[in-house]
Amino acid sequence: MRLLAGKVAIITGAGQGIGRAHALAFAKEGARIVVNDLGTDPSGDGVSRACADAVVDEITQAGGQAVPNYDSVATMAGGESIIRTAIDAFGKIDILVNNAGILRDKSFGNMTEEMWDAVINVHLKGTFACTKPAVEHMRAQGTGGRIINTSSTSGLIGNFGQSNYGAAKAGIAGLTRVLAIELIKYGITVNCIVPTALTRMTEELPMFQGVGQKYGPEHVAPVAVFLASDLAKDITGKFVGVGGGRISAFDVRQTPGVRREGIWTPHEIADRINEILNVW
Ligand code: NAI
């Protein structure tokens, strides 16, 4: 039995890169797929139907079922239309993978409001805009569901020149944690993938020069399939890192800290700061 037999999955930004790898892997495991992609350039400009259509063709030629959707995730109307495409084509939605993304990198001194808004809108607002109607349908269906978000080390750890992107990806992490708590009572799990993959978004990065082929997006897809399947029915609120052959987890932890009666003075805090900050 294939892992996603009978399931309906929506994958945003599935026309290329990691989203395309997710779509092909989900279809191989028996899911019917909505291949959403606005078809932009890496900075979010332009639109094209070609990449979503190409992935739909690839899936159907391999014997799977898929339909395209060309809406932007970045508006509520777009999100609702993306989810509606699954309902109209396949009658339900079981899995949503929020993957669509763009970059507008600049150091903070040169970061403009326009660059900030564009990146926050596609990543953070886009995750909200698709998740909101998806969860409404999942709750009405009463059969649980899977939400798989996409964060980044830029949001969880930080990276130079990505204040807009890092803020969006950290926001997605916070949304993931809260939704995991809120939705578990409906059997809906909410997890986050933290990928590292050679795509057009990352092909210029020094870390990929000469070793890029070891970091193909097809390494990321099995984590998404796992999280979408019944194998992961008890896993929620987690951040799974994957790149090349390495799979890991990201976590936020509170240190044991220090205690005293009454109010600490700044000098007392300075005296104990290593104990306060030290996790291990
Ligand atoms: P990519 O550029 O190859 O694919 C992104 C896709 O999203 C494109 O096909 C694009 O047309 C689509 N898209 C852009 N704006 C859209 C919108 N408003 N509505 C619908 N579709 C839209 O990039 P890649 O690398 O595959 O990235 C996928 C996700 O993984 C993104 O969320 C990215 O931030 C994240 N990520 C990627 C990493 C990597 O190493 N490649 C590292 C960390 C996170």
Side-chain angles (χ1 to χ4, degrees), residues 23-274:
L24 298 179
F26 277 51
K28 205 169 170 191
E29 288 296 343
R32 289 167 286 166
I33 315 286
V34 174
V35 176
N36 158 265
D37 207 296
L38 183 60
T40 71
D41 72 12
S43 65
D45 289 329
V47 292
S48 165
R49 297 185 164 206
C51 64
D53 286 342
V55 174
V56 168
D57 285 349
E58 226 175 323
I59 291 170
T60 49
Q61 276 168 26
Q65 289 186 60
V67 293
N69 172 284
Y70 316 105
D71 288 304
S72 172
V73 298
T75 67
M76 296 311 288
E80 277 157 23
S81 168
I82 292 164
I83 305 311
R84 170 61 49 198
T85 300
I87 306 299
D88 290 347
F90 304 125
K92 62 170 185 164
I93 168 179
D94 300 300
I95 302 155
L96 170 65
V97 184
N98 288 303
N99 165 81
I102 62 168
L103 285 181
R104 296 206 183 174
D105 293 357
K106 276 281 185 257
S107 59
F108 193 65
N110 296 316
M111 179 67 58
T112 64
E113 181 182 4
E114 187 276 332
M115 298 165 90
W116 178 270
D117 286 346
V119 167
I120 297 287
N121 282 343
V122 174
H123 289 276
L124 185 53
K125 173 85 176 283
T127 299
F128 173 73
C130 294
T131 302
K132 178 84 177 147
V135 167
E136 276 167 22
H137 281 284
M138 286 173 182
R139 284 182 59 179
Q141 289 165 196
T143 49
R146 297 279 184 276
I147 312 282
I148 299 167
N149 294 329
T150 310
S151 188
S152 167
T153 52
S154 299
L156 302 180
I157 294 173
N159 193 25
F160 188 94
Q162 294 194 313
S163 54
N164 52 358
Y165 182 74
K169 289 304 200 187
I172 289 169
L175 178 65
T176 301
R177 286 191 193 92
V178 172
L179 290 187
I181 293 165
E182 289 191 11
L183 299 180
I184 192 62
K185 61 173 177 274
Y186 306 110
I188 301 171
T189 66
V190 190
N191 292 289
C192 221
I193 293 185
V194 187
T196 303
L198 179 71
T199 66
R200 65 180 190 163
M201 193 183 263
T202 55
E203 63 192 358
E204 315 258 292
L205 292 181
M207 71 164 284
F208 287 128
Q209 303 317 310
V211 296
Q213 71 284 359
K214 293 187 181 164
Y215 288 88
E218 63 278 6
H219 288 276
V220 180
V223 172
V225 172
F226 165 73
L227 290 172
S229 76
D230 286 345
L231 297 174
K233 65 181 172 20
D234 299 322
I235 294 176
T236 195
K238 300 298 181 194
F239 298 82
V240 183
V242 53
R246 182 184 184 200
I247 300 177
S248 58
F250 291 81
D251 201 1
V252 176
R253 288 188 245 175
Q254 185 175 25
T255 68
V258 295
R259 286 177 195 275
R260 58 158 287 180
E261 291 300 316
I263 297 168
W264 288 83
T265 70
H267 283 291
E268 287 170 335
I269 295 168
D271 287 343
R272 307 282 299 276
I273 193 62
N274 288 338

